Amino acid sequence: MNHTIQSVKIDRNNSMSSYFHGDEDDNTYKEVNQSPSFNQFSLHHLSFIPEPPSSPSPLLPPSPESIWSRSPLLTPTHPSLLYCCISSMHRDGDIYSIAVSNDLVLTGSSGRRIHAWQSLDCHAKGYIHASSGEVRAMVAHGEVLFTSHKDHKIRVWNMKNCSGTSTSSSSSFKPRKITTLPNDSHFKKIIYRPITPQIMGTSKPIIIPQHRDTISCMAYYHVEGILYTGSFDRTVKAWRVNERKCIDSFIAHGGNINDMVVNQQNGYLFTCSSDGTVKMWLRVYGENSHALIKVLVFHAYPFHALAFSVAVSHKSFLYSGSTDGTINYWEQELSCRYTHGGFLQGHRFAVLSLVTIENIVISGSEDSTIRIWKREKGRGNIHECLAVLEGHRGPVRCLAAFLQKDKFALSFLVYSASLDQTFKTWRVKLLSSEVRKSPFGDDDHDDDDDKEESKSQMEFETSPVLSPSWVKKKLQISRSLHKLV
């Protein structure tokens, strides 16, 4: 039984993006006295609730008494998934990046301000004012935040004592800039390992110790304290944060580097590019240089997004999103080799953003939708699409997720930003299998029995489809364009 939705490959020139038009650093904090004006949480404003279809649909209609929407019913024993949009905020400019730091959510945009929000209620906490805008990439680890800017530099911020649950005042938001990379000392102490042959008669090539184009992505390997940055200039740079210097720089791809992730267990670095490749790198033992281990895939379509997931059994999964709307994934073997496990189909246009949380994969697409996938355990790593989140009116550029504590369900928040210049927060609840077995924890059925029961009920499964409102909206756009022609 096929658990995914068939997608339609399209030409990149006809993608949905054509429909959308899309001082010194201040080390003191900026206060914001009031929260942004969010949309009212009434049924009238919940645009993700599908309109009543003219024909029967496998999507169950939402309850008129509740703002929660039920996901497509895949099997009679499938765990229930509920979701709702709890906030929607309109920004004047595009949001390029989202990062979660402790109890804060930070958004980087085309401006110089990096806004901070309380993760649970989206109350405005304040903002960081930088001397350069276009914060294309952000990554947070503990109390440290890394941001990339239009001047092709990275800024490192100390977020200590910035989080908290108080929403009455933003006085607790006091970030401090630690350093800027590269700094002046890099022009004298830069260490560079070339991939291209050196010029005859020179021992080392001369290189400017910073990226020459937009820094599009970052990944932090906290085991070694190394920050990786990828750029549209096709290079990857490795920075040792505690020494505040670049330890390696190399040409990684033949096109723009769009995203990167690092495996915290063994230090493998994965990069994807517009040249249609996903590559695997590893730092040479005892050295600062990095070696290409494997080209995982050579694709006809550009890759835009990567995400990494570690299972309970310490197996790891790498996910990649491409322009044709598919999500490819690889599984790590015991020998640390990665084998292609398959691909997920469902999005109609390019997959621009990916994020994972436990065995959940969340994807944002150019088709303006967000999909939630679940990797089933003990079933050959089958992935099922649990829900299609609607609400954005433009391509979903970036995503982030925050896990909540809940005894009875896997509860998490999803943060999304789109080219429609809106920033939305979604609450998702997925009832775990352990809770469904017995609320008292005394169920005697083992995993083998669950597998046999699941197999016996496979014939009742149905595949989720695009909601009627999505199809209706795209048909209206198509008809409008046809009239213009």
Side-chain angles (χ1 to χ4, degrees):
M1 177 65 62
N2 186 9
H3 298 272
T4 59
I5 309 165
Q6 298 299 320
S7 67
V8 179
K9 295 185 178 180
I10 61 170
D11 190 281
R12 282 179 291 162
N13 296 327
N14 297 326
S15 61
M16 282 299 296
S17 61
S18 60
Y19 299 133
F20 302 94
H21 304 288
D23 328 19
E24 297 295 324
D25 294 311
D26 190 354
N27 294 341
T28 61
Y29 69 96
K30 305 290 183 179
E31 292 192 2
V32 175
N33 296 325
Q34 58 183 359
S35 300
S37 56
F38 297 118
N39 292 341
Q40 297 297 323
F41 309 147
S42 62
L43 289 175
H44 179 71
H45 293 87
L46 293 177
S47 58
F48 64 86
I49 297 181
E51 300 175 4
S54 57
S55 60
S57 170
L59 285 175
L60 298 179
S63 171
E65 299 87 13
S66 173
I67 65 173
W68 295 92
S69 297
R70 186 175 296 276
S71 66
L73 186 62
L74 296 182
T75 67
T77 59
H78 197 280
S80 299
L81 184 142
L82 301 173
Y83 69 90
C84 71
C85 182
I86 62 175
S87 70
S88 180
M89 180 186 64
H90 182 78
R91 302 293 301 170
D92 295 333
D94 293 334
I95 297 177
Y96 295 135
S97 55
I98 306 174
V100 178
S101 175
N102 295 326
D103 293 333
L104 292 177
V105 180
L106 300 114
T107 57
S109 63
S110 54
R112 298 183 180 183
R113 294 181 178 180
I114 303 168
H115 289 270
W117 320 92
Q118 196 70 41
S119 60
L120 298 179
D121 55 11
C122 295
H123 180 86
K125 295 288 293 183
Y127 60 86
I128 304 172
H129 187 81
S131 61
S132 180
E134 285 196 20
V135 184
R136 295 273 180 172
M138 291 194 298
V139 62
H141 175 70
E143 299 173 347
V144 180
L145 174 69
F146 304 94
T147 59
S148 68
H149 298 262
K150 186 178 181 180
D151 58 4
H152 309 159
K153 292 185 179 182
I154 305 102
R155 286 161 175 79
V156 186
W157 309 88
N158 187 346
M159 304 293 292
K160 186 176 182 180
N161 299 326
C162 288
S163 61
T165 58
S166 176
T167 59
S168 59
S169 174
S170 59
S171 59
S172 60
F173 186 73
K174 298 179 180 180
R176 178 178 59 87
K177 194 184 76 169
I178 300 174
T179 187
T180 300
L181 301 174
N183 51 40
D184 295 338
S185 62
H186 282 81
F187 291 89
K188 298 180 180 179
K189 302 179 181 180
I190 183 67
I191 299 176
Y192 175 66
R193 177 183 61 84
I195 280 184
T196 56
Q198 298 182 15
I199 301 176
M200 183 91 52
T202 60
S203 57
K204 289 185 179 180
I206 300 174
I207 184 173
I208 299 176
Q210 74 178 60
H211 287 288
R212 299 187 178 186
D213 206 338
T214 301
I215 300 175
S216 57
C217 52
M218 295 190 291
Y220 183 60
Y221 182 37
H222 58 76
V223 176
E224 297 287 341
I226 297 177
L227 175 70
Y228 292 99
T229 57
S231 170
F232 288 170
D233 63 10
R234 304 175 297 150
T235 66
V236 170
K237 295 183 185 292
W239 310 81
R240 193 174 296 279
V241 177
N242 60 350
E243 299 177 8
R244 303 183 181 183
K245 70 177 184 179
C246 179
I247 62 174
D248 195 16
S249 178
F250 55 92
I251 299 175
H253 288 273
N256 295 345
I257 300 176
N258 296 321
D259 204 0
M260 57 170 50
V261 291
V262 63
N263 187 344
Q264 301 293 339
Q265 296 177 325
N266 47 35
Y268 282 110
L269 174 69
F270 301 91
T271 59
C272 72
S273 170
S274 296
D275 63 7
T277 61
V278 176
K279 295 184 178 181
M280 179 178 175
W281 308 84
L282 183 64
R283 188 162 63 92
V284 179
Y285 180 76
E287 300 181 13
N288 291 326
S289 60
H290 292 72
L292 176 63
I293 303 300
K294 186 179 181 181
V295 179
L296 294 179
V297 64
F298 185 83
H299 205 285
Y301 298 92
F303 286 96
H304 293 285
L306 291 176
F308 198 82
S309 175
V310 179
V312 179
S313 58
H314 300 290
K315 279 188 176 182
S316 58
F317 295 84
L318 175 70
Y319 297 88
S320 67
S322 59
T323 304
D324 65 344
T326 61
I327 303 173
N328 286 268
Y329 67 94
W330 291 263
E331 180 182 356
Q332 178 189 358
E333 297 177 347
L334 295 178
S335 58
C336 291
R337 297 180 58 185
Y338 284 82
T339 58
H340 188 264
F343 56 91
L344 314 180
Q345 289 182 311
H347 287 294
R348 293 295 184 92
F349 299 99
V351 178
L352 302 179
S353 51
L354 287 171
V355 67
T356 61
I357 185 166
E358 295 194 357
N359 64 329
I360 300 295
V361 182
I362 308 167
S363 57
S365 171
E366 196 179 12
D367 62 19
S368 76
T369 65
I370 301 169
R371 288 180 176 267
I372 299 179
W373 313 80
K374 182 174 182 290
R375 185 178 63 248
E376 293 291 344
K377 302 176 183 178
R379 296 176 59 186
N381 298 321
I382 292 176
H383 293 71
E384 296 177 331
C385 182
L386 303 183
V388 180
L389 278 59
E390 293 184 307
H392 285 293
R393 299 181 180 272
V396 181
R397 182 196 294 270
C398 48
L399 292 170
F402 177 78
L403 184 65
Q404 292 183 292
K405 295 180 179 179
D406 195 321
K407 291 182 179 180
F408 307 103
L410 175 60
S411 180
F412 55 94
L413 297 174
V414 177
Y415 307 96
S416 61
S418 168
L419 288 181
D420 62 5
Q421 299 184 350
T422 60
F423 174 62
K424 294 181 181 293
T425 304
W426 312 79
R427 177 170 286 120
V428 183
K429 290 186 178 183
L430 177 65
L431 185 64
S432 63
S433 58
E434 288 78 6
V435 175
R436 289 187 299 111
K437 290 177 183 179
S438 172
F440 305 101
D442 57 355
D443 189 22
D444 295 328
H445 297 288
D446 55 16
D447 293 338
D448 295 334
D449 294 336
D450 293 336
K451 293 178 183 178
E452 292 297 326
E453 181 182 0
S454 177
K455 290 179 180 179
S456 64
Q457 296 176 345
M458 288 282 284
E459 56 181 329
F460 298 103
E461 296 186 1
T462 58
S463 297
V465 298
L466 289 173
S467 64
S469 61
W470 193 96
V471 177
K472 182 178 180 180
K473 180 171 60 177
K474 298 305 176 285
L475 288 175
Q476 290 175 348
I477 294 175
S478 177
R479 290 167 184 165
S480 300
L481 293 176
H482 181 72
K483 291 180 180 179
L484 293 175
V485 175

